[in-house]
Amino acid sequence: MNEQDAKQKYGAYFITAEELAARLDGKQAMPDELRTDAHLICNTPAAIDFNSPGAQGFGVKRAGLSVPGSIMLLVSPGCCGRNTAALSGSGHYGERFAYLVLDETDIVTGSHLQKIPEAVRAFVASRAERPSVVMICLTCADALLGTDMERVCRKAEAAVGLPVRPCYMYALTRESQHPPMQAVRETIYGLLQPRRKDPRQANLLGFFTPVAADSELFSLLERAGIRKVAELARCQTYGDFEALAAANFNLVLADEAMSAALALEKRIGIPAIRLRRLYATDKIANQYRALAHILGLGAEAIAMENERERAEQATADFCAQYGKKAVIAIGSRLNANPFELALALVRRGLAVR
C-alpha cells in the first residue's frame, strides 16, 4: 500500500520507511506531516515529541545531582542508561555517576535488588572525597517489578553510613498525578532537617538554575525585610544546602515544587507561598500586591512602579520591532507557562500560532 492509498483508507497520514528514504535520497523535503514545527502532531502533554525524564536538561538524573557533593548510582538495563553519557560534558556530572547494569535475569527475578547495597558501598569507597548523599536512580524496569526502593535504600544507608535516597526515572508516570520531576524535588528537599528559623531568610523553590540576579523579586523581598534569599542552585556546599531549612518561608515558583514545599511545611514548619508564572505586567503587579498583603506589608512598601515601567518599555520595544511581521510559536520545550505567555503576547497584538 502506498502513501496515497493509506491516506484514503485510514484517513490519516502514513508513509513507510522505504518511501521516506526514497524521498530524502531524491532531495525532496521532509513531508510536512512529519515536521513538528509545521503543525501539532499529537495533542497530549508529552506528545509524540517525547523526551524521557532523564534524557536531557534537568531531567531526574541531573536534578538528583543538584545537591552539592551527591553521587548517583543508576540501576537500569543498558538501553535506559545510555543517554547518561550526554551529561558528562558539563558540570562534571559524568564523574558522579556509576552504573549497576541489569541483565535479563535481574529484570525477570529482581535479583539485582540484593546487589544494590554492595554496589553503593563500592561506589562510595571509590570516591576520593566522601560524598554527602547517594542517589539511586531507578527506571521503568523497577516500576513494573513493583520494587520497594525505600527499603533497599535503608539497607544501603546502613552499609555506608550516608543518606541514600531513590530517584524514580519512571517515564510511565510522566502524565500521572505524581510525575518524575515532582517526585525528585520531594526527594531532594526531603533531606532537609529541622533547625532554628531565621526570620530574615526566604527560599526560592522550583528551579534547578538560579533566578536571574537582576530579577525584581530580590529587591521586592529586600523591602519586605528579607536579608537572605536562598535557593538550591546557589548552594556551593552541603552545608549551604542544609541551611535552606532555616528559612522563614518558601516562595514556590514552579508548580512541580509545590508538593515538596507542602511536605516541608508539614515536616519542618516552613510555610509555603505560591507565586504563579505570569507575563502580563498588570497580573504581575496584582500578584506582588497579594504577596505584600501575605507578608503584612503596606502597598507603599512594595511599590514597584519603576520596575513595571521598564518592563512595559521592553515589551513596547519588542512589539515595535517584531509586531508586524513575526508569527510566534510557543514550543513544548519552553521553560514557561505556555497559556499565560500566549495570553500576554496576544493582548499585545502579536500573532501567536
Side-chain angles (χ1 to χ4, degrees):
M1 182 181 296
N2 62 30
E3 177 182 342
Q4 193 60 38
D5 292 340
K7 278 186 178 181
Q8 293 175 355
K9 181 173 181 179
Y10 297 115
Y13 182 76
F14 174 90
I15 187 171
T16 66
E18 183 180 8
E19 289 168 337
L20 180 60
R23 287 181 65 115
L24 300 181
D25 285 345
K27 307 304 181 187
Q28 291 177 273
M30 176 72 73
D32 282 348
E33 288 85 351
L34 300 184
R35 288 176 48 207
T36 57
D37 62 328
H39 62 110
L40 187 65
I41 286 183
C42 182
N43 191 15
T44 70
I48 290 176
D49 186 18
F50 180 75
N51 180 32
S52 164
Q56 290 184 20
F58 276 93
V60 169
K61 289 175 284 190
R62 193 176 171 196
L65 290 176
S66 61
V67 178
S70 60
I71 59 175
M72 180 174 286
L73 178 68
L74 180 60
V75 180
S76 76
C79 58
C80 298
R82 67 187 187 279
N83 53 37
T84 305
L87 295 180
S88 61
S90 61
H92 304 290
Y93 290 106
E95 301 170 7
R96 298 164 64 190
F97 277 108
Y99 299 85
L100 179 59
V101 180
L102 309 187
D103 59 24
E104 187 173 334
T105 301
D106 292 325
I107 295 171
V108 172
T109 67
S111 57
H112 63 287
L113 301 180
Q114 304 301 320
K115 305 173 187 175
I116 290 176
E118 176 57 26
V120 171
R121 190 202 62 74
F123 188 19
V124 170
S126 73
R127 306 296 296 174
E129 295 183 9
R130 189 168 173 81
S132 59
V133 183
V134 181
M135 299 291 188
I136 300 183
C137 187
L138 288 304
T139 67
C140 296
D142 279 285
L144 296 170
L145 285 170
T147 301
D148 182 357
M149 204 58 217
E150 300 286 343
R151 181 171 175 270
V152 175
C153 284
R154 286 195 296 271
K155 283 189 174 182
E157 195 167 282
V160 295
L162 286 171
V164 179
R165 298 292 186 271
C167 292
Y168 300 104
M169 194 175 66
Y170 291 173
L172 296 171
T173 64
R174 180 167 179 168
E175 294 178 39
S176 71
Q177 293 184 340
H178 196 229
M181 292 308 294
Q182 176 180 318
V184 74
R185 286 172 169 87
E186 294 171 10
T187 296
I188 290 167
Y189 291 109
L191 290 163
L192 297 178
Q193 298 301 317
R195 65 166 52 192
R196 186 176 180 179
K197 297 295 182 283
D198 180 352
R200 295 186 178 275
Q201 177 181 331
N203 293 333
L204 304 181
L205 263 60
F207 306 120
F208 294 104
T209 53
V211 173
D214 60 354
S215 169
E216 76 280 354
L217 189 56
F218 295 105
S219 60
L220 182 154
L221 291 171
E222 185 177 356
R223 295 174 206 181
I226 300 301
R227 297 293 174 262
K228 181 180 180 181
V229 181
E231 50 185 330
L232 175 63
R234 296 188 188 277
C235 294
Q236 297 297 310
T237 67
Y238 193 69
D240 293 340
F241 171 73
E242 290 179 307
L244 295 177
N248 191 32
F249 61 90
N250 289 321
L251 277 183
V252 184
L253 307 180
D255 289 344
E256 287 181 317
M258 197 64 208
S259 62
L262 292 175
L264 286 174
E265 184 170 350
K266 181 177 181 180
R267 189 170 60 84
I268 61 175
I270 305 179
I273 303 173
R274 183 178 184 179
L275 287 185
R276 299 194 67 85
R277 304 182 75 176
L278 304 172
Y279 308 93
T281 56
D282 57 335
K283 288 188 173 186
I284 295 171
N286 289 337
Q287 181 163 244
Y288 282 156
R289 280 192 286 270
L291 177 61
H293 178 73
I294 291 171
L295 298 178
L297 302 171
E300 68 283 351
I302 212 164
M304 305 192 74
E305 293 306 319
N306 291 338
E307 289 87 348
R308 183 174 179 181
E309 188 175 317
R310 287 197 295 272
E312 291 282 358
Q313 186 59 54
T315 304
D317 292 344
F318 180 88
C319 292
Q321 182 174 359
Y322 299 107
K324 293 183 179 179
K325 58 182 180 181
V327 176
I328 298 171
I330 298 178
S332 63
R333 295 291 188 275
L334 189 67
N335 186 15
N337 180 322
F339 300 105
E340 288 290 346
L341 181 56
L343 176 60
L345 294 171
V346 168
R347 286 175 59 183
R348 295 286 180 173
L350 297 167
V352 179
R353 289 278 175 85

